[in-house]
Amino acid sequence: MATRVFAVIIGIDVYKSGSIWNLHSCVDDAKKVRQWLVNDLGVPKSNTRLLLDSEATRANIEDCIMNHLVNNPSIGHGDAIIIYFAGHGSHIPAPPDWFQNDPAGYTDILCTYDHDTRNSTGRAVGICDRSMHALLRQLSETKGDNITLILDCCFSPPRSRANVRDRRNIRWTPTLKATPDDLYRGLWPGARGMPYHRGSGFCELQPKTHTLLAACEQDGKATEGKDGGKFTNAFLDVASNFALHRASYKQFYDYICRMIIEEQHPICLGVSKDRIVFDAVPFTPDGQFVPVGLDDALKLRVEAGAIHGIALGSEFSVHLHNYRGSKNPSIASITITEVHPTWCFGNARNTKGLMPDACWARLSRWNNPGLFRVRLKSTWTSFCRFWKLRRRLPTQLGLGTPTPAGINVIRVTEASQADISLKVGRNDFTVQSHDQIISGESKRTIKIRKKHGLEVIDDAARFHMHLHRENSKRPLQDMVKLELYSLNPLTWYQTDENLLENGKATIHCDQSAIFTAVIRNHSDRDLWPYLVFMDPNCYGITILYHPDPTLPSAPLPKQGSLHVGSGKPGSEALSFALSDRDLESGFLKLFLTTAPVPMNMIEQGPSSEWMHSVEYLEAFSQPSFSMNEIWDTSLACLAFVKEEK
């Protein structure tokens, strides 16, 4: 799931004006902040805007704040918004009547790339505190006050001998040529006519529109070194090494202060500084984690079982929480010794201190019983990549390094022995499937970019495992039936014809086509169904229906039925509108069990834009102990035909 965080990130080392001393690490700091947002917090790159050096003019920054943030329909009220600036700060005398309560004073400036340079009306001035406060006020009125302004610069450092000596390392510059009249001409239109009181510039004591994290006080200094800005380095160190999902801005700030031991004093200001960082928006529960705790006999019970693909010898890492984007080191590992339909028992090892009675587990090794066999091929331009990947894949189990997901994979030499053939290209991988189910229902060859070879093999191996997994006892065979119907896009009435025949269906898709799935239970057991879409074109696995485990009774009663995609609240219609996707086939897989269980851990790959993934439910109470649980599966193959416009 994409994180609901949006950011404008600005870094300026090189300035247009020859009278401004260039900096050395602001651009790198801005890139590192963006990398942290994307890699650690899971923020899509499209949610961020990066303005560096000559891109970061005053006009561009103001336009970016307005277009990417204020007027962005994708941002909802309460989504987290971050504005980061690394560069020079400055201050200049304010013109007469600038402040309502004081005829004279100075105003602080964020020095944009074109600061203090000539333009058609005089001289350009960066973004002053009055303009920024007006922009933030407009932003908070439309998107809420979950706004964080992060400034790694200073505005009027003390004129000490030491500061003069370290001038090149201080993110401040004097403004030599711009006048108070230029300041008025560059004022943001939304700030004109609004009363403005003389205060502390950007360091307003209790801003209501945003929370400020800044490198120093108004008259302090912000320094940089070879590794970047001291404040930004401390910020990123704290963000990467502390559990942010339970840290307030004030606690976050305290950690930063401990990291900076020089004569630099960061500040944290705002009426919301006691709330969780970014109002906890990025720190959502991660469905890859499942509950683990001690049962009545003090045995370690993990809430994942045979229905998930767990086998004897599977391994889990143990963690204190299950939140994305928050530091979460492993405190122990568990090796599974006993597997049941929806849960399992295991033995703890490598414990680091006392393990809590209840915590979270993440699968680290599947230990799948069947081997996944890969045949490698290379081209002349990719021989080095091919050879590195070849060395990682053993020719028999136990001889090589495990894949990142802990899948049992071996390398074979003949296509007749392989599940896939992987051709290593210069910038991509070509995967040819030899799986009878996949190759019989979809195109045999796909290209995958922007992934490493082991990642591609992992995705393919997990997809293969989940596609083929079934209960050999088949306790619900012929007792549960999956049906698929078209819906009238205007009336949402169901058509009479079941599209699935003998487990196969041909889907005629256009932009308005919608569908509903009907699950009929002819058994004498109440069931919990989980409906999954499996895309062989990207090895994506997306859960379409995941019942709320806190329901008082099973959603699929014995001798009853359940509609998935009925159009009722909580049951959106299924859409297979292909748009520009190169999709020929897919699979609907139905997992059935007699007890509720979190199934999100089997999801993988990019969520299809035309599919709705079910959000993981954080609160999952441990089901009562039962030895009579059963599980089963049903598979349907879908062939897609794209309708001509």
Side-chain angles (χ1 to χ4, degrees):
M1 176 187 139
T3 302
R4 304 294 303 170
V5 176
F6 298 81
V8 170
I9 304 165
I10 304 151
I12 309 171
D13 282 332
V14 178
Y15 281 84
K16 183 178 181 180
S17 172
S19 62
I20 297 179
W21 192 286
N22 288 334
L23 294 166
H24 308 287
S25 55
C26 296
V27 168
D28 285 342
D29 281 352
K31 290 179 179 178
K32 286 188 287 187
V33 168
R34 187 192 208 189
Q35 185 178 31
W36 169 67
L37 291 174
V38 172
N39 294 346
D40 290 15
L41 296 193
V43 179
K45 272 192 176 180
S46 58
N47 285 15
T48 66
R49 292 292 182 272
L50 187 65
L51 300 177
L52 305 176
D53 287 341
S54 60
E55 302 169 331
T57 63
R58 185 189 71 211
N60 283 353
I61 293 173
E62 291 173 344
D63 288 346
C64 189
I65 291 175
M66 291 301 297
N67 297 331
H68 182 60
L69 300 179
V70 177
N71 298 322
N72 187 346
S74 298
I75 302 179
H77 196 276
D79 286 347
I81 295 172
I82 299 167
I83 301 175
Y84 171 88
F85 178 88
H88 277 310
S90 188
H91 73 168
I92 63 175
D97 302 325
W98 182 263
F99 301 111
Q100 190 176 38
N101 60 337
D102 200 325
Y106 282 81
T107 188
D108 292 339
I109 305 290
L110 297 179
C111 297
T112 57
Y113 169 76
D114 54 346
H115 176 68
D116 212 11
T117 58
R118 186 178 298 277
N119 60 22
S120 59
T121 59
R123 292 223 162 240
V125 178
I127 299 177
C128 68
D129 50 24
R130 185 173 177 179
S131 289
M132 181 58 77
H133 287 313
L135 283 164
L136 292 172
R137 183 170 56 249
Q138 191 169 352
L139 179 59
S140 66
E141 287 172 354
T142 56
K143 307 299 182 182
D145 64 355
N146 189 11
I147 303 169
T148 307
L149 178 64
I150 305 170
L151 303 179
D152 196 347
C153 62
C154 54
F155 304 102
S156 54
R159 301 295 182 91
S160 67
R161 183 175 297 178
N163 285 350
V164 172
R165 184 178 63 249
D166 297 334
R167 169 71 186 86
R168 67 177 61 201
N169 297 321
I170 298 177
R171 293 181 171 179
W172 169 84
T173 185
T175 299
L176 302 178
K177 299 178 181 179
T179 67
D181 289 338
D182 294 320
L183 186 65
Y184 248 133
R185 283 190 287 268
L187 186 63
W188 173 248
R192 300 180 187 276
M194 298 292 292
Y196 192 64
H197 298 274
R198 183 179 178 183
S200 304
F202 286 93
C203 306
E204 182 183 342
L205 287 179
Q206 293 296 330
K208 297 179 181 180
T209 58
H210 64 284
T211 301
L212 172 70
L213 288 170
C216 61
E217 311 100 319
Q218 186 182 26
D219 56 354
K221 69 174 181 179
T223 61
E224 67 174 9
K226 294 181 180 179
D227 297 329
K230 303 297 183 185
F231 172 72
T232 298
N233 271 345
F235 177 96
L236 293 175
D237 281 346
V238 171
S240 301
N241 291 290
F242 289 88
L244 296 184
H245 72 281
R246 58 172 182 258
S248 67
Y249 281 103
K250 181 66 169 60
Q251 292 169 322
F252 188 67
Y253 156 76
D254 289 340
Y255 291 137
I256 292 175
C257 290
R258 295 175 198 172
M259 299 287 293
I260 299 179
I261 58 176
E262 300 183 5
E263 293 181 4
Q264 183 171 331
H265 306 287
I267 57 173
C268 175
L269 301 171
V271 297
S272 301
K273 64 183 179 182
D274 290 322
R275 76 166 49 147
I276 299 297
V277 175
F278 309 137
D279 204 16
V281 167
F283 314 120
T284 55
D286 187 345
Q288 296 298 312
F289 290 85
V290 294
V292 57
L294 296 174
D295 74 345
D296 295 338
L298 300 181
K299 296 173 68 176
L300 270 177
R301 170 172 164 162
V302 181
E303 296 306 319
I307 193 170
H308 301 90
I310 305 303
L312 293 176
S314 293
E315 296 177 3
F316 287 84
S317 56
V318 182
H319 305 261
L320 293 177
H321 67 81
N322 67 326
Y323 291 96
R324 297 181 178 95
S326 185
K327 183 72 174 179
N328 196 13
S330 171
I331 60 172
S333 59
I334 297 175
T335 301
I336 300 307
T337 58
E338 187 177 328
V339 181
H340 295 270
T342 62
W343 48 275
C344 57
F345 285 134
N347 292 332
R349 56 187 178 86
N350 301 327
T351 56
K352 300 172 183 177
L354 186 64
M355 195 166 73
D357 291 341
C359 39
W360 298 86
R362 182 174 183 140
L363 194 73
S364 56
R365 181 168 182 258
W366 286 95
N367 198 36
N368 46 308
L371 297 176
F372 187 71
R373 297 171 172 81
V374 180
R375 174 177 175 249
L376 292 180
K377 299 189 291 183
S378 71
T379 62
W380 285 108
T381 59
S382 64
F383 186 76
C384 290
R385 294 180 75 201
F386 161 80
W387 189 255
K388 289 179 181 179
L389 182 58
R390 185 180 186 276
R391 292 177 61 187
R392 297 291 301 273
L393 296 180
T395 54
Q396 54 183 300
L397 187 61
L399 295 183
T401 304
T403 62
I407 297 286
N408 291 333
V409 177
I410 64 170
R411 175 169 48 85
V412 296
T413 58
E414 301 296 331
S416 59
Q417 302 170 317
D419 294 302
I420 63 168
S421 290
L422 185 69
K423 184 177 181 180
V424 183
R426 186 173 181 179
N427 299 309
D428 57 21
F429 295 91
T430 303
V431 184
Q432 182 180 13
S433 175
H434 305 297
D435 186 301
Q436 291 301 312
I437 296 180
I438 295 179
S439 61
E441 301 299 333
S442 63
K443 62 180 183 180
R444 298 172 61 91
T445 303
I446 60 173
K447 281 197 173 184
I448 297 177
R449 296 179 174 86
K450 298 182 180 179
K451 283 197 173 187
H452 299 297
L454 283 179
E455 291 179 315
V456 175
I457 293 172
D458 266 343
D459 288 347
R462 289 198 304 271
F463 187 92
H464 178 273
M465 180 181 69
H466 291 307
L467 183 66
H468 286 268
R469 276 197 306 109
E470 61 181 19
N471 188 341
S472 59
K473 297 179 181 179
R474 304 310 307 268
L476 297 173
Q477 187 173 14
D478 300 326
M479 297 184 193
V480 178
K481 185 178 181 183
L482 178 63
E483 301 172 354
L484 187 67
Y485 297 90
S486 296
L487 293 178
N488 185 301
L490 298 178
T491 64
W492 285 57
Y493 287 154
Q494 177 181 309
T495 61
D496 295 332
E497 181 184 3
N498 175 20
L499 300 176
L500 279 171
E501 184 175 351
N502 297 322
K504 297 183 178 181
T506 299
I507 307 296
H508 295 269
C509 290
D510 58 35
Q511 293 295 328
S512 62
I514 53 177
F515 304 85
T516 183
V518 180
I519 308 169
R520 302 193 187 279
N521 181 10
H522 300 293
S523 75
D524 58 357
R525 291 175 176 266
D526 295 333
L527 299 174
W528 295 79
Y530 302 85
L531 186 61
V532 173
F533 179 77
M534 306 186 70
D535 184 353
N537 299 276
C538 64
Y539 298 125
I541 302 176
T542 305
I543 295 181
L544 304 180
Y545 176 75
H546 192 302
D548 184 346
T550 62
L551 289 173
S553 59
L556 183 58
K558 55 186 176 183
Q559 305 301 321
S561 62
L562 173 69
H563 288 247
V564 177
S566 61
K568 297 177 182 178
S571 182
E572 297 182 12
L574 305 180
S575 171
F576 299 102
L578 301 186
S579 63
D580 295 325
R581 285 179 52 86
D582 185 16
L583 183 67
E584 295 179 1
S585 71
F587 301 91
L588 286 177
K589 186 155 188 176
L590 180 64
F591 292 87
L592 299 156
T593 177
T594 51
V597 61
M599 287 292 294
N600 302 72
M601 66 174 287
I602 72 170
E603 285 194 292
Q604 70 176 44
S607 295
S608 302
E609 296 177 358
W610 42 271
M611 276 291 181
H612 298 287
S613 177
V614 176
E615 181 59 29
Y616 178 69
L617 296 167
E618 177 183 2
F620 192 93
S621 57
Q622 197 175 74
S624 59
F625 186 91
S626 173
M627 301 296 292
N628 297 319
E629 295 174 2
I630 63 171
W631 73 281
D632 210 341
T633 62
S634 177
L635 185 67
C637 304
L638 309 181
F640 296 108
V641 177
K642 190 172 182 179
E643 295 291 328
E644 297 294 334
K645 293 183 180 179

